[in-house]
Amino acid sequence: MDSNLAISARGVGKRYRRLLRSERHDSLRDLVAAGAANVFRSSAERTAAAERNTFWALKDASFDIEKGENVGIIGLNGAGKSTLLKLLSRITTPTTGGIQVRGRLGALLEVGTGFHHELTGRENVFLYGSILGMSRKEVAAKFDAIIEFAEIADFIDTPVKRYSSGMYVRLAFAVAAHLDPDILLLDEVLAVGDYAFQRKCMNFARQLERKGATILFVSHNMFSIKSMCQRVIYLKKGEVVYDGPTAEGLRRYEQDSKLADTPWFHPADGGARVRFTDVELLTADGRPSTVFAFGDTMLIRLRYRAEGRIENPDIRIGIDRDDETSCTTYSSAADGVPLSCLEGEGVIELRTPPIKLVSDLYVVNAIVRDAKGQMLCAQIGGRFHVNHPVFAANAYGVYHEPGAWTVNAGSVERREIGYGVG
């Protein structure tokens, strides 16, 4: 392994076995009967059955990561991202191929992994630190810095079973970061923290990078990937389909993710009864666009296909900032649209009021709820940029509305100043 490399992976694959409903045995008799039936199968039949009952979460992944690189791991749900990090952190072993890791590795793969619910935050700091490879003396020396970073000093002697998910991730990240790892693996854990803490963690990750640490970061948040990573590895159905500069990787991801389910949507049993088949973002005069100026009107055109008849649906179009901050949601029900049902195929259009969002990248999500409020589908409808002559990204909040200003406090004269007025 080259001395400049932190990680080298060659032909790495991970296969899992599906447990079929027919294989779930409730008694010893069922288990014995199933085993006896398997004896009389031919070798070819057993091999074919094994192939049908397994799936590859990751297939033939090969890459090298140099020391000091920040690499984003991106892909849709089920692409194999978390599996890859578990293999790199040696939580599980590969079915095929091999991985070489050089340096001290810290991993934060799931909120509270390594925590004991009955122990206090203080006790878990020492427990989790030892799991990550720190000595008790090392944890004690860094304890005050860990607690200060996590910002939970008032609750450090409270059992962690009473912690919120945000408190969990603050403490877990603080311990993992103060391991002073040569390699840090992060798997979407920052999604449960607030925006200020996410930014704090990113700044801390940059400090680690300046010290020469290597960081692998899994996230659906393309804003975080873009700001933290110079390179991305794009996984699709368990395979590496792109490995290179971030901008091109995100372009390919955006192209593939349009109309995919949003990361936070979990379909009920039976799957979606309605799907959007196309989403267009258009200017007021009907031209496709991904860039809008502050004050522009946007036309959003949705094409759908419904299975059966959906009575009194609520069509919602949400706009989120790319860091997953929800900005606004348009609702057909809230706006009094007389939409009695969805059936077959059709088109729905929304013409927004003038856009008052500050300059940034935004995501459109298309959602359908039934009359009982159950979410039937939630899909990514595309991304767009907003240009603003003054208010730049993240510096002035989410939106801007002109206010009424008193120009001369010593005068009774008032001057109304709005957008576009001197």
Side-chain angles (χ1 to χ4, degrees), residues 26-139:
D26 297 324
S27 66
L28 178 61
R29 181 184 64 184
D30 294 338
L31 187 62
V32 171
N38 194 50
V39 168
F40 293 101
R41 289 181 178 179
S42 67
S43 176
E45 287 175 332
R46 286 196 295 270
T47 300
E51 287 296 324
R52 287 194 302 270
N53 297 348
T54 60
F55 72 97
W56 288 89
L58 194 68
K59 293 180 284 187
D60 196 28
S62 297
F63 53 85
D64 292 324
I65 297 176
E66 294 186 359
K67 293 179 180 178
E69 276 196 290
N70 269 13
V71 180
I73 311 296
I74 62 175
L76 302 177
N77 290 336
K81 307 182 297 297
S82 297
T83 298
L84 176 58
L85 291 199
K86 287 178 181 177
L87 292 171
L88 293 175
S89 61
R90 300 188 179 94
I91 289 177
T92 186
T93 56
T95 306
T96 61
I99 299 171
Q100 290 182 290
V101 176
R102 179 173 302 211
R104 192 178 194 181
L105 186 144
L108 192 52
L109 305 186
E110 294 178 7
V111 177
T113 298
F115 281 10
H116 191 294
H117 284 199
E118 299 299 328
L119 299 181
T120 66
R122 183 186 302 274
E123 292 165 333
N124 271 295
V125 168
F126 284 91
L127 174 63
Y128 192 35
S130 66
I131 290 173
L132 293 178
M134 288 190 278
S135 67
R136 184 174 183 84
K137 182 178 179 180
E138 186 179 1
V139 175

Side-chain angles (χ1 to χ4, degrees), residues 54 63 71 78 93 125-126 137 143 172 180 187 244 247 261 270 276 281 329 345-346 350 364-365 370-371 400 411 420:
T54 60
F63 53 85
V71 180
T93 56
V125 168
F126 284 91
K137 182 178 179 180
F143 184 83
D180 289 333
D187 184 7
D261 286 341
F276 292 105
L281 307 183
T329 300
E345 298 183 359
L350 167 70
V364 171
N365 296 317
D370 63 16
H400 170 67
S411 170

Side-chain angles (χ1 to χ4, degrees), residues 3 32 94 142 198 236 250 308 329 350 360 373 393:
S3 60
V32 171
K142 297 176 179 178
Q198 290 179 32
K236 191 174 180 180
L250 295 188
T329 300
L350 167 70
D360 213 324

